[in-house]
Amino acid sequence: MKTRITELLNIKYPIFQGGMAWVADGDLAGAVSKAGGLGIIGGGNAPKEVVKANIDKIKSMTDKPFGVNIMLLSPFADDIVDLVIEEGVKVVTTGAGNPGKYMERLHAAGITVIPVVPSVALAKRMQKLGVDAVIAEGMEAGGHIGKLTTMALVRQVVDALDIPVIAAGGIADGRGMAAGFMLGAEAVQVGTRFVVAKESNAHPAFKDKVLKAKDIDTVVSASVVGHPVRAIKNKLAIAYSQAEKDFLAGKKSAEEIEELGAGALRNAVVDGDVVNGSVMAGQIAGLITKEETCAEILEDLYASAKSVIAEEARRWSDLLD
């Protein structure tokens, strides 16, 4: 399956592993890249030395392309940009901000720049900046989300742009991957399924929470302060719900709501506190029921998507004859 994305990045499968903070480390991203996808280190709010250690880990595992996700609101964003240039990283994905001020330096270093976008307007703005592709992520995704669903967003972004589009949000199997391609995407990004990969260092309690999740178990918190986050419902999510009611009633400030989430993702991923921590996961978690290696996940996604597309082609051919 060759697309502009596989050709641009020199990867076997048109599949990105989401750059999830605290989850997407060198072990996970390295395993994905080694198996033929695009592994992405989740920079999050990590300092330069932490991200460098993850880059070093990948380089010790494979010479295949990999990426680094840079959260542009991070206090270390400038340092991480310096780092990816110094280390010869080939791909950068960005979120939570505008990569405009870094574009010239990144491109001069031969780095492919792919921002995550939640809307057509932002996608158009990114194309004008000269980015190489965009990841159109629907609100079914885990973590920080926008307002549009993947089904509505991807097709509109594809129609609005000339550059390749990667579909993300609610994709965890071959059917989802095939659907992304039918909407016009040239690759997909998968997050939640890789959380429970065997190479993932997420705490066993975190993985177990994802594996046991049902289709309606995720909720969106912090929408009232403009930073909506999707995670599996637990004590923290209930506390968020009450805090948002108090905010609307004038009893709590936006700062107090933001403080609820401070360190919550690390608490869940690293320490295994899935009661008071933030168990970020997508709505597709209900479809994920087992741990597999990254290679098995990639092979299943690709083979299943290929099978679905071939079967639908045959079915429509029969219907149209």
Side-chain angles (χ1 to χ4, degrees):
M1 187 183 287
K2 291 185 178 181
T3 71
R4 285 187 291 175
I5 289 295
T6 60
E7 297 292 306
L8 177 66
L9 305 182
N10 192 28
I11 54 178
K12 179 180 179 181
Y13 299 116
I15 302 168
F16 288 21
Q17 158 252 309
M20 303 162 284
W22 292 108
V23 175
D25 59 10
D27 288 318
L28 178 61
V32 172
S33 285
K34 187 175 181 180
L38 184 73
I40 301 175
I41 295 168
N45 286 317
K48 186 175 181 177
E49 58 269 20
V50 172
V51 178
K52 185 180 187 310
N54 283 312
I55 291 174
D56 291 343
K57 179 65 176 180
I58 292 182
K59 288 182 175 180
S60 73
M61 295 171 63
T62 181
D63 59 358
K64 299 286 183 65
F66 66 90
V68 173
N69 177 259
I70 302 177
M71 295 300 291
L72 297 170
L73 289 181
S74 165
F76 304 108
D78 289 350
D79 292 340
I80 305 306
V81 169
D82 291 341
L83 176 66
V84 296
I85 292 172
E86 293 164 6
E87 292 294 321
V89 174
K90 299 301 182 185
V91 185
V92 159
T93 63
T94 67
N98 187 328
K101 72 174 185 176
Y102 304 116
M103 286 298 298
E104 187 175 346
R105 290 183 62 211
L106 291 170
H107 275 164
I111 297 174
T112 299
V113 182
I114 308 177
V116 178
V117 298
S119 69
V120 171
L122 186 56
K124 287 181 175 179
R125 198 180 314 156
M126 293 299 102
Q127 180 169 268
K128 286 182 181 179
L129 279 177
V131 304
D132 301 283
V134 298
I135 299 167
E137 184 176 73
M139 54 89 72
E140 298 96 322
H144 294 277
I145 58 172
K147 295 181 179 180
L148 295 175
T149 64
T150 303
M151 177 69 78
L153 176 65
V154 173
R155 69 213 313 175
Q156 294 183 73
V157 171
V158 167
D159 287 349
L161 304 186
D162 299 315
I163 57 177
V165 176
I166 297 95
I171 299 172
D173 66 356
R175 289 170 296 173
M177 182 173 169
F181 275 85
M182 292 303 99
L183 295 175
E186 297 188 48
V188 297
Q189 179 167 283
V190 175
T192 306
R193 188 169 177 185
F194 281 116
V195 169
V196 300
K198 289 184 178 179
E199 296 92 341
S200 167
N201 291 317
H203 195 283
F206 190 101
K207 289 185 176 183
D208 190 56
K209 193 80 170 174
V210 173
L211 290 168
K212 290 181 178 177
K214 298 182 178 63
D215 58 338
I216 59 172
D217 282 353
T218 66
V219 293
V220 178
S221 303
S223 294
V224 296
V225 292
H227 299 116
V229 173
R230 181 178 300 284
I232 294 174
K233 187 175 181 180
N234 61 2
K235 188 174 180 180
L236 175 65
I238 294 170
Y240 258 119
S241 179
Q242 183 57 53
E244 290 181 71
K245 291 176 184 176
D246 291 341
F247 173 82
L248 294 173
K251 298 177 182 179
K252 271 195 186 300
S253 66
E255 290 74 18
E256 288 175 297
I257 292 179
E258 295 284 2
E259 285 172 8
L260 275 176
L265 180 58
R266 184 195 183 284
N267 291 346
V269 176
V270 179
D271 299 332
D273 184 356
V274 294
V275 176
N276 300 295
S278 182
V279 188
M280 294 185 186
Q283 287 183 313
I284 205 67
L287 196 68
I288 300 167
T289 58
K290 60 182 178 180
E291 268 190 284
E292 301 166 283
T293 67
C294 290
E296 289 169 336
I297 291 171
L298 289 166
E299 289 163 9
D300 177 65
L301 283 163
Y302 178 75
S304 297
K306 184 178 179 180
S307 176
V308 167
I309 292 169
E311 178 58 34
E312 286 303 305
R314 285 192 295 270
R315 190 166 72 90
W316 279 100
S317 178
D318 292 341
L319 287 172
L320 294 173
D321 282 345

